[in-house]
Amino acid sequence: MRLAPTVLSIALSTVLLLTSPTTAVKHDNFKTCDQSGFCKRNRAYADAVNAAESSWSSPYAVDESSINFQDGVLTANVWKALPGDEYVARLPLKISVATDGVARVQIDEERRQKGDVTLRHDSKARKERYNEAGEWALVANDVMKLHKDAKMVKLKGGVRLEYGFSDTQLLVQHKPFKVTLLRAGDPVVVLNGKGFMNVEHWREKKELAEGEEKKEEEDESTWWDETFGGNTDSKPRGPEAVAMDITFPGHGIVYGIPEHASSLSLKETRGGEGNYKDPYRLYNADVFEYEVDSPMTLYGAIPFMQALKKHSTVGVFWLNAAETWIDIVKNRKTGDGAKADTETHWISESGVLDVFLLPGPSANFLHQQYGALTGWTALPAEFSLGYHQCRWNYISSDDVKEVDRMMDKFDIPYDVIWLDIEYTDDKKYFTWDPLTFKDPVGMQNQLDARKRKLVAIIDPHIKNVAGYNISSQMNDKGLAVKDKHGEKSYEGWCWPGSSNWIDCFSPEARKWWKTLFTFKNFPGSTENLHIWNDMNEPSVFNGPETTMPKDNLHHDNWEHRDVHNLNGMTLHNATYEALLERSGPGNERRAFVLTRSFFAGSQRTTAMWTGDNLADWSHLAAAFPMILNQGIAGMPFAGADVGGFFGNPGKELITRWYQSGAFYPFFRAHAHIDAKRREPYLIDEPYRSIIRSAIRLRYSLLPMWYTAFHRASVEGTPIIRPLSMQWPGDEDSFEIDDQFFLGDSGLLVKPVVTEGATDVKMYLGDDEVYYDYLDPEYAVFRGKGWHKMEAPLEKTPILVRGGHMVLRRDRHRRSTGLMKHDPYTLVVALNTEGVAGGVVYIDDGETFDNKKGDYIYRAFTLKTVEGEMKSVNIHTGPNDGAAYAEKTKDLRIEKVIVLGVPDAWLEKKVVSVAVGAETWTAEVSATKGGKGKPNFVVIRDPKLPVSKDWNLRFGETSESHGEL
Ligand code: NOJ
């Protein structure tokens, strides 16, 4: 979101927004590849290589005599030569191979590494290539479990490394340098196979003496100072890009590299029908009124890509925090559609070349491999999975209290209400407006009565004004980002007007930032206050491309250029730690932080949302592909502003948006300051009731959401999952991105995202039986292919796949906290073999006692041939969970619905339940199916204890059951 920093232009923009809410992105504010020197150079390089065809040979070669291989690590030198075979740069190479099959290839530049270069403009910037991105993105610098017994076999012209958990090998070709990852003998990832590798070595700018004529050499037009939109980047280190082509042979589909408003399956980027003309760009920026179906950059960046073919998934993680562009081309000569080779070209402005190759071979393995590197999604506080009510702005504590009351009056559950920037005293963070928010604690206490929370915004720009002690402390202590001379705090414009920016790359700055959140230093904050970090790309209204100049200096004199995409993450990490620490050791509660800007690893501490979307059907449709790609890239706690940020949604649009939002992992409604009020109770009937049902549906399914989050927190598995995860053998499903599975629940969801639709086409990728989850008669859908499903306004199309179980809660409450002791309903969807299973994870949802083992983790199974359903403990420690099971012994399943039972079961009017030595009988009511409708039975009040082992036998009474 960007507005010019004068009162007049703010007023003008406001008028514009009110009158034309769907104006388009200002393309002129953001670079195309052609306007970004290093992107243009490297694309031209690729074009030249392609044009030269077989006469081209990449000028990079491994110096064979320098190879050393020990304990899973190969080191060597790579030489870069210019056309006359004259060596110009020595590039230290390190290849590490790990037990899980992951390989890491790192290439530096010796001369810069040694600091043997001269910077222009008397710059104080560091001379080395930036090599600290891993300290932020990776769980630890030595994160790889090196395969110490890996073997190196010498070959003619190269070496082969044999390592990993199965048949993984890495071929390193010496001249030209090329790396191939092989799985079971098949190449799955190739580096520099096309010869686009380019490490722009250091060179001195040669100023022409007076009268001297320039020699005909390389085109230097983009090497030095570069100007865009009136800002000049002094580029004191000259050109220093790194680029590499990465090919996925036979893998014709690629996902990932968020954040873009594009499809799940990434498009080709070299023009042609339906393709983009520009590469996908990763350069975190506040893109005002972003457009959908575009490779333009957005607020966050995760340089992780997944490639797919039938029964195979592989990935690459390009660890670089500088501006990055990625071209994608599918070589269909080698296969069509999903079977093509995907050829990608990664281009970063600076830093070392550092790339991880992840072998899969399945999506599950891949998510584990990537999560082992960058960490798992923090298991969220349970309240944060409920519904969040936000707008810019709730204008006073009375306003907040009124919204809170109205939500109750209209029986609409919600968990969190949000405060945007206007709650502060004149945009000074850590203060409250003295007139409108006189009693923030009283306001939070009212929320607490229904176990609700408050989230308030804290941005990284600190108002530059005399008398604001946070500003003077930060500047006096030298904790702000510096300008290019490295002496003074950088000054720019944001919401408060003139501002300086906290530099969370500095350990001192982080330490200080954390002190600001203590209850003493942030008066009016309570345990129930959580934080929203916005504008942390960082957004600078008068900066180049609405962000900071690249030659600004951060802690340790790293240029902003090197660390730009990490900037947002440094802030939300520090905020998260601050919230944990404010309660004191031993009293930590799970903290909720929302960020707009993110990088690989952000999932460890925060949720994200897709920024300033538009109240428009196209933006509703764009949200799911974006959220799916967030999950692919290991950051599944994601959502989009429900209702659309800019503009005023019509009634149908907002209703459909709530139905979608109820399936965003992060479910929040938000609106621009100029948008009309649109709290759900303000919307007329029948829309209001439909919205209420959508929110209630979310609350009823919270046990499944929480279980999915638990799995994400230990295995990195996405929360909402692309169809390819369920049907890896069905290529036809790989590009579908408007329907998805929710965790392991078997729920297949396709919210309506088109205007006027009354039905949808649901795709099934196998021949399993699927039941219409919201149909009182559970209509059956079966057969691979497309199926029409009715979707009148009040309905979200949802199927449940045979073989799964859904644990849910049917009592309506006002917040998640008030549901804690409620009983459950278990929906059992039998598959074609008459079998179903499911898991559930439950803990207190707020503390870290789960880490000690205080949780319930259970698997339920039903096999009709055995006539028996069971609950089995799958707790994995550290303690045995018995104490927590005892504490939660009153949690009950009060209803079991079994879909698809055989005819003979319709006669079974009772079930017997056994828990330890105790048995009892429960009644069953049966419904016979008809055409397209299954038989189903409902077991009434079987009193199944959730935290204990039990079994349940159909058609038996307690007398016949015996002991468990
Ligand atoms: C930009 C954010 O994207 C938006 O959600 C927020 O309302 C405004 N900043 C004001 O803080």
Side-chain angles (χ1 to χ4, degrees):
M1 166 66 217
R2 188 179 70 88
L3 296 177
T6 65
V7 176
L8 177 66
S9 55
I10 288 174
L12 277 175
S13 316
T14 307
V15 172
L16 277 175
L17 288 176
L18 283 172
T19 49
S20 54
T22 51
T23 48
V25 66
K26 297 194 179 41
H27 280 279
D28 292 353
N29 287 353
F30 298 94
K31 292 181 184 174
T32 59
C33 176
D34 249 5
Q35 293 164 321
S36 176
F38 72 95
C39 185
K40 184 177 176 189
R41 293 196 293 277
N42 279 283
R43 251 193 169 186
Y45 188 93
D47 287 340
V49 172
N50 282 338
E53 293 183 351
S54 55
S55 66
W56 168 257
S57 174
S58 168
Y60 296 86
V62 178
D63 170 0
E64 217 177 320
S65 67
S66 67
I67 295 181
N68 181 31
F69 183 68
Q70 210 184 343
D71 293 341
V73 179
L74 178 152
T75 54
N77 285 316
V78 168
W79 281 104
K80 175 178 182 182
L82 279 184
D85 234 7
E86 178 196 338
Y87 293 119
V88 294
R90 188 147 69 171
L91 311 174
L93 164 75
K94 183 174 173 190
I95 299 181
S96 319
V97 291
T99 49
D100 63 356
V102 172
R104 181 180 192 180
V105 178
Q106 293 166 281
I107 296 175
D108 205 337
E109 180 185 351
E110 191 181 74
R111 191 153 178 195
R112 293 195 204 248
Q113 214 176 35
K114 290 186 173 154
D116 177 20
V117 301
T118 326
L119 304 187
R120 297 158 61 240
H121 309 300
D122 297 325
S123 168
K124 292 198 175 63
R126 291 282 287 265
K127 294 179 171 172
E128 307 96 299
R129 287 179 173 274
Y130 183 64
N131 60 2
E132 294 181 2
E135 290 181 19
W136 296 97
L138 302 176
V139 184
N141 245 341
D142 57 354
V143 60
M144 290 176 79
K145 289 203 180 66
L146 293 176
H147 193 140
K148 305 240 162 153
D149 304 325
K151 278 202 294 224
M152 182 174 88
V153 181
K154 285 200 176 154
L155 309 167
K156 192 162 169 271
V159 295
R160 187 174 66 226
L161 307 183
E162 295 172 359
Y163 72 104
F165 64 94
S166 64
D167 196 358
T168 333
Q169 300 179 339
L170 204 71
L171 286 182
V172 182
Q173 175 183 295
H174 296 333
K175 192 169 185 321
F177 174 65
K178 175 174 155 189
V179 177
T180 307
L181 177 72
L182 300 168
R183 238 184 26 211
D186 287 333
V188 288
V189 186
V190 184
L191 305 187
N192 203 30
K194 299 189 62 67
F196 300 167
M197 173 173 170
N198 189 20
V199 179
E200 293 184 336
H201 61 279
W202 185 78
R203 60 203 92 190
E204 195 156 15
K205 183 167 187 331
K206 295 195 189 81
E207 307 292 351
L208 291 182
E210 241 187 60
E212 191 187 348
E213 294 245 325
K214 195 173 170 328
K215 283 194 226 112
E216 202 44 53
E217 265 182 10
E218 280 181 82
D219 173 14
E220 291 184 12
S221 56
T222 61
W223 284 11
W224 314 107
D225 305 25
E226 252 180 284
T227 300
F228 178 77
N231 290 283
T232 299
D233 174 5
S234 62
K235 285 169 67 181
R237 299 181 305 200
E240 55 170 322
V242 287
M244 179 69 93
D245 59 274
I246 305 180
T247 299
F248 304 100
H251 292 69
I253 304 286
V254 278
Y255 296 162
I257 56 167
E259 182 182 23
H260 302 99
S262 183
S263 42
L264 165 68
S265 167
L266 303 170
K267 298 190 177 182
E268 294 189 51
T269 59
R270 286 293 207 140
E273 213 190 310
N275 300 335
Y276 297 138
K277 289 201 189 64
D278 250 26
Y280 284 90
R281 187 182 190 204
L282 295 175
Y283 187 59
N284 296 348
D286 184 354
V287 182
F288 182 63
E289 292 181 338
Y290 67 80
E291 65 189 4
V292 298
D293 194 10
S294 165
M296 268 181 90
T297 199
L298 285 177
Y299 313 92
I302 305 184
F304 175 75
M305 185 183 275
Q306 167 178 342
L308 293 94
K309 69 173 183 182
K310 192 171 183 166
H311 291 303
S312 171
T313 312
V314 289
V316 294
F317 173 39
W318 177 265
L319 179 49
N320 191 300
E323 179 184 346
T324 297
W325 298 78
I326 303 140
D327 259 322
I328 298 174
V329 171
K330 300 197 183 178
N331 180 354
R332 294 174 202 276
K333 278 183 239 144
T334 53
D336 55 6
K339 295 183 193 73
D341 293 345
T342 303
E343 300 170 350
T344 64
H345 183 198
W346 299 65
I347 309 167
S348 291
E349 182 175 15
S350 67
V352 294
L353 196 152
D354 194 353
V355 57
F356 292 80
L357 316 183
L358 290 72
S362 67
N364 278 330
F365 274 115
L366 189 75
H367 293 305
Q368 286 180 31
Q369 287 152 3
Y370 178 71
L373 296 174
T374 64
W376 316 113
T377 304
L379 183 63
E382 204 164 16
F383 78 81
S384 62
L385 303 188
Y387 168 60
H388 297 248
Q389 183 63 51
C390 185
R391 76 168 278 113
W392 178 17
N393 216 94
Y394 290 117
I395 55 170
S396 63
S397 38
D398 286 344
D399 192 7
V400 169
K401 288 177 179 169
E402 178 63 6
V403 173
D404 183 59
R405 275 192 289 270
M406 293 300 275
M407 293 294 277
D408 284 348
K409 182 167 170 209
F410 285 88
D411 241 346
I412 302 171
Y414 88 99
D415 265 80
V416 190
I417 190 159
W418 289 55
L419 293 179
D420 209 320
I421 47 177
E422 315 297 333
Y423 79 91
T424 57
D425 179 9
D426 218 8
K427 315 286 187 301
K428 289 184 278 204
Y429 301 113
F430 305 98
T431 67
W432 303 83
D433 186 302
L435 293 177
T436 49
F437 287 90
K438 276 202 210 81
D439 179 19
V441 173
M443 172 179 71
Q444 288 166 76
N445 288 345
Q446 176 179 320
L447 299 175
D448 192 39
R450 306 251 186 279
K451 303 230 179 294
R452 292 181 179 136
K453 319 287 173 198
L454 182 71
V455 170
I457 200 165
I458 300 273
D459 289 350
H461 46 253
I462 299 297
K463 187 173 171 112
N464 178 22
V465 66
Y468 178 29
N469 67 338
I470 290 186
S471 163
S472 45
Q473 279 180 32
M474 179 176 79
N475 290 318
D476 295 350
K477 290 174 195 268
L479 304 178
V481 183
K482 308 273 188 325
D483 66 15
K484 65 178 172 196
H485 305 295
E487 302 291 342
K488 288 205 301 269
S489 299
Y490 166 73
E491 188 263 343
W493 283 77
C494 205
W495 298 128
S498 172
S499 305
N500 309 111
W501 275 260
I502 173 79
D503 181 14
C504 281
F505 285 92
S506 144
E508 285 307 306
R510 295 199 298 276
K511 214 161 128 196
W512 173 75
W513 184 252
K514 288 196 258 175
T515 65
L516 304 181
F517 291 84
T518 61
F519 298 120
K520 181 165 153 268
N521 288 343
F522 188 2
S525 67
T526 73
E527 192 84 59
N528 288 337
L529 175 76
H530 296 259
I531 298 295
W532 174 15
N533 283 157
D534 186 19
M535 315 294 275
N536 49 343
E537 297 75 22
S539 175
V540 180
F541 294 159
N542 59 338
E545 300 194 87
T546 331
T547 189
M548 265 186 188
K550 286 179 169 168
D551 45 12
N552 270 4
L553 292 176
H554 286 265
H555 171 68
D556 262 354
N557 285 340
W558 290 113
E559 270 197 294
H560 184 69
R561 171 188 338 278
D562 298 318
V563 299
H564 175 83
N565 284 345
L566 283 168
N567 189 80
M569 177 156 99
T570 63
L571 180 84
H572 70 66
N573 279 351
T575 304
Y576 175 80
E577 284 169 26
L579 295 190
L580 289 191
E581 287 176 19
R582 69 180 174 177
S583 307
N587 293 322
E588 291 89 354
R589 290 273 177 282
R590 290 181 220 169
F592 175 77
V593 177
L594 180 76
T595 185
R596 193 170 70 174
S597 186
F598 53 85
F599 190 68
S602 282
Q603 70 272 14
R604 301 191 298 263
T605 59
T606 180
M608 63 71 72
W609 94 109
T610 62
D612 298 348
N613 57 2
L614 266 59
D616 183 279
W617 287 92
S618 66
H619 277 255
L620 170 60
F624 278 119
M626 293 177 81
I627 294 169
L628 286 168
N629 264 333
Q630 285 295 134
I632 290 297
M635 194 178 184
F637 198 2
D641 284 350
V642 169
F645 179 69
F646 291 116
N648 297 306
K651 288 170 189 160
E652 183 191 351
L653 176 59
I654 194 160
T655 306
R656 289 303 197 188
W657 214 316
Y658 269 97
Q659 291 172 337
S660 273
F663 288 92
Y664 297 163
F666 169 59
F667 177 24
R668 183 187 75 156
H670 184 39
H672 186 269
I673 195 164
D674 298 322
K676 290 193 197 125
R677 292 293 283 240
R678 47 163 116 128
E679 287 66 39
Y681 51 82
L682 294 176
I683 302 166
D684 298 341
E685 289 294 0
Y687 304 94
R688 182 196 306 142
S689 292
I690 299 174
I691 291 172
R692 181 193 293 119
S693 303
I695 300 176
R696 284 182 172 176
L697 178 62
R698 166 62 165 234
Y699 276 81
S700 80
L701 288 172
L702 281 173
M704 293 291 89
W705 284 98
Y706 199 59
T707 301
F709 268 97
H710 167 257
R711 183 151 175 217
S713 76
V714 291
E715 288 184 31
T717 331
I719 308 294
I720 62 167
R721 302 188 185 153
L723 305 183
S724 55
M725 282 192 74
Q726 180 67 46
W727 304 313
D730 178 38
E731 287 158 341
D732 293 344
S733 69
F734 289 4
E735 297 199 79
I736 297 173
D737 55 11
D738 57 357
Q739 68 179 71
F740 51 84
F741 282 94
L742 166 55
D744 293 302
S745 66
L747 291 169
L748 175 60
V749 191
K750 179 160 188 160
V752 174
V753 294
T754 43
E755 189 170 10
T758 51
D759 57 52
V760 297
K761 292 252 166 21
M762 184 76 103
Y763 181 78
L764 300 182
D766 59 17
D767 194 30
E768 191 45 79
V769 54
Y770 289 77
Y771 306 90
D772 183 340
Y773 180 73
L774 294 179
D775 174 6
E777 297 182 306
Y778 307 103
V780 164
F781 290 76
R782 189 160 176 202
K784 187 166 148 28
W786 294 95
H787 296 258
K788 184 173 157 185
M789 253 188 106
E790 297 305 321
L793 188 62
E794 62 279 8
K795 186 164 180 187
T796 306
I798 306 175
L799 296 176
V800 56
R801 184 171 183 269
H804 295 259
M805 293 191 183
V806 176
L807 192 69
R808 69 176 193 219
R809 278 177 156 148
D810 288 342
R811 311 253 167 117
H812 302 309
R813 303 283 182 196
R814 292 172 175 187
S815 69
T816 55
L818 298 176
M819 297 173 87
K820 267 204 161 36
H821 307 291
D822 282 351
Y824 295 89
T825 293
L826 183 62
V827 180
V828 179
L830 289 169
N831 68 8
T832 47
E833 316 271 294
V835 174
V839 294
V840 64
Y841 173 88
I842 299 168
D843 64 19
D844 69 18
E846 51 185 326
T847 72
F848 291 97
D849 290 350
N850 59 317
K851 301 215 164 170
K852 298 184 214 147
D854 289 356
Y855 60 85
I856 299 169
Y857 195 25
R858 297 220 142 239
F860 305 127
T861 54
L862 170 56
K863 289 191 183 142
T864 42
V865 280
E866 291 170 5
E868 187 178 69
M869 190 161 118
K870 282 194 244 198
S871 167
V872 182
N873 196 358
I874 52 171
H875 193 280
T876 54
N879 73 29
D880 65 4
Y884 191 69
E886 179 57 24
K887 210 165 149 187
T888 50
K889 64 177 188 308
D890 294 333
L891 276 181
R892 290 271 186 273
I893 297 175
E894 64 172 354
K895 193 200 254 185
V896 178
I897 305 170
V898 188
L899 311 180
V901 297
D903 283 346
W905 281 37
L906 299 174
E907 305 310 318
K908 298 182 193 278
K909 299 288 184 211
V910 285
V911 294
S912 65
V913 179
V915 182
E918 278 186 75
T919 61
W920 57 87
T921 308
E923 289 186 0
V924 178
S925 66
T927 306
K928 180 153 179 52
K931 198 165 169 282
K933 307 276 174 167
N935 296 333
F936 65 93
V937 295
V938 178
I939 307 168
R940 298 201 184 281
D941 203 16
K943 298 192 177 59
L944 302 172
V946 177
S947 67
K948 292 191 182 155
D949 286 354
W950 45 258
N951 78 359
L952 182 153
R953 292 201 189 137
F954 287 82
E956 292 187 18
T957 60
S958 57
E959 283 78 46
S960 54
H961 194 122
E963 265 189 42
L964 181 62

Short mmCIF file of all heavy atoms in Angstrom, two decimals, residues 48 324 587:
data_model
loop_
_atom_site.label_atom_id
_atom_site.label_comp_id
_atom_site.label_asym_id
_atom_site.label_seq_id
_atom_site.Cartn_x
_atom_site.Cartn_y
_atom_site.Cartn_z
N ALA A 48 22.44 -15.54 -25.96
CA ALA A 48 23.66 -15.75 -26.76
C ALA A 48 24.06 -17.22 -26.74
O ALA A 48 24.45 -17.79 -27.76
CB ALA A 48 24.79 -14.88 -26.20
N THR A 324 16.04 -11.45 -7.17
CA THR A 324 16.22 -12.68 -7.96
C THR A 324 15.13 -12.78 -9.02
O THR A 324 13.98 -12.43 -8.76
CB THR A 324 16.16 -13.90 -7.00
OG1 THR A 324 17.25 -13.81 -6.09
CG2 THR A 324 16.26 -15.23 -7.76
N ASN A 587 6.75 -19.20 31.69
CA ASN A 587 5.33 -18.83 31.48
C ASN A 587 5.00 -18.57 30.03
O ASN A 587 3.96 -17.97 29.72
CB ASN A 587 5.02 -17.54 32.24
CG ASN A 587 5.09 -17.77 33.72
OD1 ASN A 587 4.68 -18.84 34.18
ND2 ASN A 587 5.64 -16.82 34.46
#
